[in-house]
């Protein structure tokens, strides 16, 4: 089985490459957020896009019975809301602050002006669309053909990739289950087994990866 995709290609992740991120930073209006703040609400008209400057933001959809389903967790220099701003359709999911931090708001009109003024940035966005389509195809195939343990391991590998070696991954078992398309009970069972095998160490809201090679081997298992 191929190695897990890069975190930059994660589901509902940003469509912004380095050149666009730099441009957005120049025009964004910086604002603070507190844990639990809703930055973008599912179903609202797309008036702006957002860029995470500090802290983490989760992209969520409302599931059956009002249950929150987490699609993606993003950190600094990751953007959200670009697709709705481009196609004019309502936001397909909400963006909610996981912890205190800062974000930059870029109004739709200003974003359009950036693309018109900088064709290379518009090309960057198109290339990112291609990466997202490939990623969605991979996720669909993985959900249908890959064992649940490998899916959970893949998501944990992706979350840990941007972090310094040895840093804890701040994620709950419920969040990890949502990202892997499984139940929290399964995520708890799998991660406990990894802990007994010395692959991870578990604490409230955090997972420390003790054996990165062992985790990646499980992510690549078919």
């Amino acid at each position: 089985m191929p190695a897990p995709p890069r975190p930059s290609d994660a589901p509902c992740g940003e469509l912004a490459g380095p050149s666009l991120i730099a441009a957005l930073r120049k025009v964004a209006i910086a604002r603070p957020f507190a844990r639990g703040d809703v930055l973008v609400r599912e179903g609202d008209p797309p008036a702006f896009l957002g860029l995470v400057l500090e802290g983490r933001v989760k992209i969520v959809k409302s599931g059956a019975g009002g249950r929150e389903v987490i699609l993606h967790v993003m950190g600094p220099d990751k953007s959200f809301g670009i697709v709705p701003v481009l196609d004019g359709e309502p936001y397909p999911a909400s963006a909610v602050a996981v912890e205190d931090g800062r974000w930059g708001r870029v109004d739709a009109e200003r974003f359009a002006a950036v693309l018109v003024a900088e064709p290379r940035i518009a090309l960057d966005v198109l290339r990112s669309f291609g990466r997202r389509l490939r990623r969605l195809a991979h996720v669909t195939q993985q959900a249908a053909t890959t064992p649940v343990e490998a899916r959970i391991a893949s998501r944990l590998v992706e979350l840990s990739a941007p972090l310094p070696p040895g840093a804890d991954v701040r994620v709950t078992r419920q969040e990890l289950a949502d990202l892997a398309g499984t139940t929290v009970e399964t995520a708890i069972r799998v991660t406990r087994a990894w802990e007994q095998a010395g692959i991870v160490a578990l604490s409230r809201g955090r997972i420390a990866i003790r054996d990165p090679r062992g985790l990646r081997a499980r992510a690549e298992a078919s």
Side-chain angles (χ1 to χ4, degrees):
M1 175 182 171
R6 299 186 307 275
S8 60
D9 296 330
C12 295
E14 93 296 342
L15 285 174
S19 60
L20 180 54
I21 290 296
L24 292 179
R25 277 185 167 272
K26 291 179 181 178
V27 299
I29 300 173
R31 299 182 174 187
F33 58 70
R35 179 178 179 179
D37 283 355
V38 179
L39 310 182
V40 160
R41 193 174 300 277
E42 180 180 350
D44 281 356
F48 60 88
L49 62 89
L51 176 68
V52 182
L53 301 175
E54 298 174 7
R56 293 183 303 149
V57 171
K58 59 184 177 181
I59 307 301
V60 302
K61 283 188 71 68
S62 298
R67 177 179 173 272
E68 179 184 273
V69 178
I70 300 171
L71 304 178
H72 184 46
V73 179
M74 58 178 60
D77 283 341
K78 304 299 181 183
S79 62
F80 55 88
I82 287 184
V83 172
V85 165
L86 287 174
D87 68 14
E89 296 296 321
Y91 296 114
S94 299
V96 182
V98 176
E99 60 200 11
D100 295 352
R102 294 190 312 128
W103 67 294
R105 171 176 167 144
V106 180
D107 289 341
E109 295 80 5
R110 179 162 288 192
F111 177 58
V114 168
L115 296 182
V116 171
E118 297 283 353
R120 63 185 179 84
I121 293 178
L123 182 59
D124 190 15
V125 173
L126 289 175
R127 287 171 176 155
S128 297
F129 268 111
R131 289 195 296 269
R132 171 175 282 196
L133 289 173
R134 287 195 298 272
R135 169 64 193 189
L136 289 175
H138 172 85
V139 169
T140 301
Q141 179 187 29
Q142 189 182 57
T145 63
T146 304
V148 67
E149 181 180 15
R151 299 204 308 270
I152 295 173
S154 293
R155 299 294 86 79
L156 191 54
V157 167
E158 291 171 358
L159 291 171
S160 67
L163 303 176
D168 290 358
V169 178
R170 291 177 293 178
V171 64
T172 67
R173 253 71 68 81
Q174 181 65 70
E175 292 169 343
L176 191 58
D178 288 344
L179 292 170
T182 188
T183 64
V184 65
E185 292 81 9
T186 298
I188 290 172
R189 174 179 55 79
V190 168
T191 53
R192 281 179 176 170
W194 291 348
E195 185 173 45
Q196 293 175 356
I199 295 172
V200 302
L202 304 175
S203 58
R204 185 177 180 83
R206 292 175 180 265
I207 300 178
I209 300 174
R210 301 302 189 209
D211 180 5
R213 292 182 65 182
L215 181 64
R216 186 168 289 277
R218 281 161 173 75
E220 296 175 357
S222 59

